[in-house]
Structures are given as structure tokens and as C-alpha cells.
Amino acid sequence: MTNKALVVEGGAMRGIFASGVLDAFLEQNYKPYNFVIGVSAGASNLLGYLSNAPHRSYQVITELATDKRFFNRTRFARGGDLVDVKWLIEESNQRFPLDEDALYQIPMYAAVTNIETGNADYFQLKPCNLENVLEATTALPIAYRTTPCFSGGCYTDGGVADSIPVKEAYRRGARDITVVLSQPLNYQMRPTRAPWLMKRLLSRYPTVAESMLVRADNYNQSLDFIRHPPQDATIRVIAPPDEFAVKRLTMNKAVLEQGYQMGVEAGKQHIASRQGNHGLDDQNCHFCL
């Protein structure tokens, strides 16, 4: 039997699209995967999906991530965090408790960036490390001044080293991979415009700075892997439409709602295509919904 994996990209508030996709999956109890991998907001989205909590991710994004206790420019200007990741995790778990009996039925991995090597590490989420791993995978460099340390290492946002861990899913044996992106299919990441500034801002962590400088190359290589997978693998993509207007720090709830509904529709279309309701099958539906 072919191993199936689900990979969910991050993207901060752009994760509202994936929350809609996964809610559409939950509505039809669609969980055909042997394991899942998430990055940053993608990992947070997967918690709601795996724990059978529809609308959890939507509420976390639209109610908590828009709260000034999480995102606060004044606090950042005074030397604090622009985004308080730890508060968001703790508040989310308190207001929207996870069903841990359901959560761990499908193995979930989260990508983090090791600040010593600048490379990606992948942790399987377990009761003993859940909050630590979630904090690390969402610890945006510069914006979150705390450096999460556990299991003998210190980490920052997984999107620095591996924004779309589709190659890791393949390395772990998946040959039928579904990827939920937070950018339209035609997106290509551009290199950092001011490398000197990145090195200065991350002078305490030179390997992380180096990873940030090659992030665009790594991201675009992941897209190329998706478009041209190995012969023994099938990769399907669910991506926002071109008119998706949510940005990384969008706080407008009307725009977020629109992005969520786009995700719901895309999730429904994906299931319909997998069930052959649109006349599509494995032969004529590669790199598509």
C-alpha cells in the first residue's frame, strides 16, 4: 500500500487558507494519510485537523492572532516581541482544548530550524513536546525575540530552512503526497533585497542568517520538486487562487474570512476530484486539486 502524506505550508495569517481546506476535510471525515508534516502556521492548522476540531484554526487566526496581546507593533518598538508566540499557543490551548486521544492517531511532524546548523530538524509531536515544538516551528526570527530550546538544541521558525517540507515527506517514504500551499501556484519567492541587513539583524545567529539568504532558492527548489516529482511519486497541490488577498500580517477580518472560504471551497474540490466526481482520476489529475 502506498504511503500517503499531507504537507501544510505556513505563512502566518496566510494560513487561513489551509484552515479552510482542513475544515472541508473534517466535514467529510477525510483522513487518508499515513502521516502529516506542518511548518509554522501549517503545524498549528494541523492540530485542529488531527484532533477533529473544526473551526479551531479559524478561531485561533481570526480571534487570537488579531489580538494585540499577540501582534503588537508598539511592544516591538520598545524591545519586546512583535508576535507573542507563547501567549498564542497557551491561549489557544486554554480556549480551544485539543482532544489528545484523537490528535496522536496519525503521526505528525513539524519542521524547525536549528540555530546552530541553520538546517531543518523535524520533530514528531508527542504529549511531552507538543508546546515546545509548536513554539519553535512558529518562532519567527526577529519578530519573536525568544529562542525556544529543548531536546538539546535551540530553534527558530521551520519556514527559514524548509518552508514546504515535501522532500522530507518523500524521504520518509510517502509516495502519494498532498501539499497545501499558502501562495498561488504561479508564485516564485524572490531573494532577499538587502543581504547585509539580514546579516546585521541576525548577527547573533549567523547560520540562521545564511539560511534566510538562501531561503528563496530552497523554496523555489521545493516548488520544482512538486512540479517534477520522482517517477515513483504522485504529488497533488491545493493552492489559493490568484485573487487570494491575505498577506502575512493581514488583520482585516473580512479579508481573512474571504481567504478562509476560498480554502473551504478548494478542500471540497480536492475531495470531489479524488472521488472522481469531476471525472478526474490518477491518470489525468496530477499537480492539481
Side-chain angles (χ1 to χ4, degrees):
M1 182 177 293
T2 302
N3 273 345
K4 297 181 179 181
L6 174 65
V7 176
V8 183
E9 184 185 2
M13 304 301 275
R14 299 183 72 92
I16 194 71
F17 175 80
S19 75
V21 172
L22 298 177
D23 276 353
F25 285 8
L26 281 176
E27 184 177 349
Q28 299 192 42
N29 193 29
Y30 185 75
K31 289 187 175 182
Y33 307 108
N34 298 100
F35 65 92
V36 302
I37 305 180
V39 184
S40 195
S44 178
N45 277 326
L46 282 169
L47 294 182
Y49 173 62
L50 295 181
S51 61
N52 298 322
H55 307 300
R56 181 185 193 272
S57 296
Y58 171 85
Q59 291 172 303
V60 168
I61 294 172
T62 60
E63 296 177 20
L64 301 185
T66 57
D67 192 299
K68 288 185 178 180
R69 286 172 290 179
F70 172 66
F71 178 74
N72 193 312
R73 289 189 175 92
T74 301
R75 181 179 60 207
F76 185 63
R78 294 174 176 172
D81 297 318
L82 178 63
V83 291
D84 190 340
V85 170
K86 195 171 185 64
W87 175 86
L88 184 65
I89 295 169
E90 293 175 349
E91 191 72 11
S92 298
N93 291 340
Q94 180 178 344
R95 291 183 55 178
F96 314 113
L98 295 164
D99 181 348
E100 294 199 5
D101 290 336
L103 177 60
Y104 300 107
Q105 289 184 9
I106 297 176
M108 173 180 166
Y109 300 88
V112 300
T113 300
N114 189 307
I115 65 170
E116 293 297 324
T117 66
N119 298 324
D121 290 342
Y122 307 89
F123 284 94
Q124 182 174 353
L125 269 67
K126 301 176 181 179
C128 62
N129 69 8
L130 175 63
E131 291 198 0
N132 284 334
V133 174
L134 196 61
E135 181 185 11
T137 192
T138 54
L140 292 169
I142 304 171
Y144 186 58
R145 300 185 189 275
T146 303
T147 303
C149 297
F150 61 95
S151 298
C154 296
Y155 308 95
T156 190
D157 192 298
V160 173
D162 194 359
S163 297
I164 315 172
V166 60
K167 293 181 183 178
E168 179 64 15
Y170 181 84
R171 189 188 72 81
R172 290 181 180 271
R175 293 299 179 266
D176 186 333
I177 305 171
T178 299
V179 182
V180 182
L181 298 176
S182 60
Q183 297 278 6
L185 285 176
N186 60 7
Y187 176 75
Q188 288 281 307
M189 185 176 287
R190 297 179 180 179
T192 300
R193 293 182 178 180
W196 63 271
L197 180 59
M198 186 65 64
K199 290 182 178 180
R200 180 178 178 181
L201 291 173
L202 291 169
S203 59
R204 291 176 58 196
Y205 307 114
T207 58
V208 175
E210 291 300 324
S211 292
M212 288 291 289
L213 294 180
V214 298
R215 182 170 179 248
D217 286 341
N218 291 337
Y219 187 96
N220 295 333
Q221 286 173 18
S222 293
L223 291 178
D224 188 63
F225 184 88
I226 290 170
R227 296 184 178 110
H228 306 95
Q231 291 186 352
D232 62 345
T234 298
I235 300 177
R236 299 177 177 86
V237 175
I238 306 173
D242 290 344
E243 61 270 24
F244 182 64
V246 181
K247 306 301 180 185
R248 180 171 291 274
L249 295 178
T250 294
M251 297 292 157
N252 185 299
K253 292 188 179 182
V255 175
L256 292 171
E257 175 66 27
Q258 184 181 51
Y260 172 78
Q261 293 300 334
M262 289 178 177
V264 171
E265 182 60 28
K268 291 178 178 178
Q269 289 180 8
H270 177 80
I271 296 174
S273 71
R274 300 303 304 131
Q275 295 173 342
N277 294 343
H278 293 331
L280 301 173
D281 55 30
D282 288 344
Q283 282 66 49
N284 62 16
C285 183
H286 184 54
F287 192 53
C288 67
L289 294 178

